[in-house]
Amino acid sequence: LKLSQSRKIISANMTAMEEAFSKKDPEEIQNKLTNELKNINTFKDIKIIQSNELFNNSGNFHLKDTDYIKTGIKGLDDKIFGMLNSEVIVLAARPSVGKTACALTIARDVAEKYEVLFFSMEMPKIFITIRLLANQSNLNAYRIQHNMLDTWERNALDKAASELCNFKFNLVEKAGITAEQIDNISRRYYEQKGIKLVIVDYLQIMRDTSKENRDIRIGYNMKILKGIAMDLHIPVLVLSRYRDWE
């Protein structure tokens, strides 16, 4: 559909150029081009919702269980009830206080039931794997990382690995990924797997080729992430340095 619309726009502009070179009346050319472009409907996927659809719910205006996903962290869920579909949730903290660890805990709990897509731009997959194993097995990540496990711990690790194999956790490990790439991968994977949560680690190191200042770039990237949440009707969890939200 979009390709067809693009062709119509190109054709209309090419015709206008040919008429301009043939020295036809500029005002007539402009009016004709404007009318042709207006007739190309590029908003077919936008639905206008009327009042009777918004309010004719027989009093059922509360959120349903399907409207949000629990984080799996009880104290957090008690306060925010969970991550609401179509929302971008910012998990902000100062460096080295456990943002990724918290995000992986949420990812692991959600991935037990639903497809989760995790974008890691800083932490390599081996450390992601170790942290998930430590979380699942309740073992010390340092001992796993340096192969310091005794027989009981190794059995617990093998059991955790076997359990995690059945989880629906999907990792994209790429430094310097752009917001547009995250958008493209998320939408494509949504069509294939029906993902229920996207996690981005983290906002400030997303690559941006523009020369705008940092605040404008962050705003632009957040707009794209919000588009993912709105269009796919899923929550998007974004990690961020705290000082950018002070």
Side-chain angles (χ1 to χ4, degrees):
L1 178 61
K2 289 185 177 180
L3 184 58
S4 173
Q5 292 166 348
S6 296
R7 285 172 179 160
K8 289 177 181 178
I9 293 170
I10 292 170
S11 176
N13 280 281
M14 290 294 291
T15 301
M17 287 175 61
E18 290 172 1
E19 291 177 349
F21 280 120
S22 65
K23 298 182 179 179
K24 286 190 177 181
D25 179 43
E27 187 175 348
E28 181 182 337
I29 295 171
Q30 184 178 17
N31 290 337
K32 181 182 176 182
L33 177 61
T34 300
N35 289 330
E36 286 183 5
L37 292 175
K38 282 181 180 178
N39 290 329
I40 300 172
N41 186 358
T42 58
F43 305 104
K44 287 184 178 179
D45 59 340
I46 296 178
K47 180 184 178 183
I48 298 176
I49 305 172
Q50 297 179 343
S51 292
N52 62 338
E53 293 181 73
L54 290 172
F55 303 109
N56 188 19
N57 286 326
S58 302
N60 296 320
F61 299 111
H62 59 278
L63 292 174
K64 305 176 184 63
D65 290 343
T66 54
D67 291 327
Y68 53 85
I69 295 176
K70 295 289 187 181
T71 66
I73 302 173
K74 187 178 184 306
L76 183 59
D77 286 329
D78 287 343
K79 291 183 180 297
I80 67 172
F81 297 99
M83 297 174 289
L84 190 64
N85 290 335
S86 301
E87 286 290 325
V88 174
I89 303 101
V90 178
L91 174 57
R94 299 188 186 280
S96 303
V97 297
K99 295 187 295 295
T100 300
C102 181
L104 285 172
T105 298
I106 293 171
R108 186 200 63 137
D109 286 331
V110 175
E112 193 168 2
K113 293 182 179 179
Y114 306 111
E115 296 286 347
V116 175
L117 188 55
F118 192 105
F119 291 90
S120 177
M121 286 164 266
E122 187 175 45
M123 185 173 290
K125 65 181 179 181
I126 183 61
F127 294 114
I128 297 282
T129 302
I130 289 170
R131 289 195 178 202
L132 286 170
L133 284 167
N135 200 322
Q136 183 71 11
S137 63
N138 291 318
L139 296 174
N140 184 283
Y142 182 85
R143 290 177 63 80
I144 296 173
Q145 181 176 333
H146 296 284
N147 196 25
M148 299 168 62
L149 304 179
D150 59 28
T151 301
W152 181 88
E153 289 172 321
R154 193 165 297 283
N155 289 335
L157 182 67
D158 290 341
K159 181 175 182 292
S162 177
E163 292 168 348
L164 288 170
C165 280
N166 297 314
F167 280 38
K168 300 174 181 180
F169 178 83
N170 308 279
L171 175 65
V172 177
E173 174 209 27
K174 182 172 176 59
I177 197 169
T178 66
E180 290 85 357
Q181 288 173 319
I182 290 173
D183 183 43
N184 182 274
I185 294 168
S186 298
R187 292 175 190 274
R188 179 158 44 87
Y189 212 73
Y190 179 84
E191 292 296 328
Q192 296 172 356
K193 290 268 195 173
I195 54 174
K196 292 290 187 180
L197 173 64
V198 170
I199 301 176
V200 179
D201 183 14
Y202 62 92
L203 181 63
Q204 284 77 11
I205 57 175
M206 291 167 64
R207 184 166 63 85
D208 194 325
T209 56
S210 73
K211 296 182 180 179
E212 300 287 352
N213 67 51
R214 189 174 62 105
D215 291 339
I216 292 176
R217 292 200 306 270
I218 288 175
Y220 173 76
N221 289 337
M222 286 296 291
K223 183 176 74 171
I224 291 178
L225 297 176
K226 181 62 177 178
I228 296 171
M230 289 288 291
D231 293 345
L232 304 186
H233 196 57
I234 61 173
V236 175
L237 177 63
V238 186
L239 278 60
S240 171
R241 288 198 300 259
Y242 180 70
R243 62 175 172 267
D244 287 305
W245 299 94
E246 288 179 317

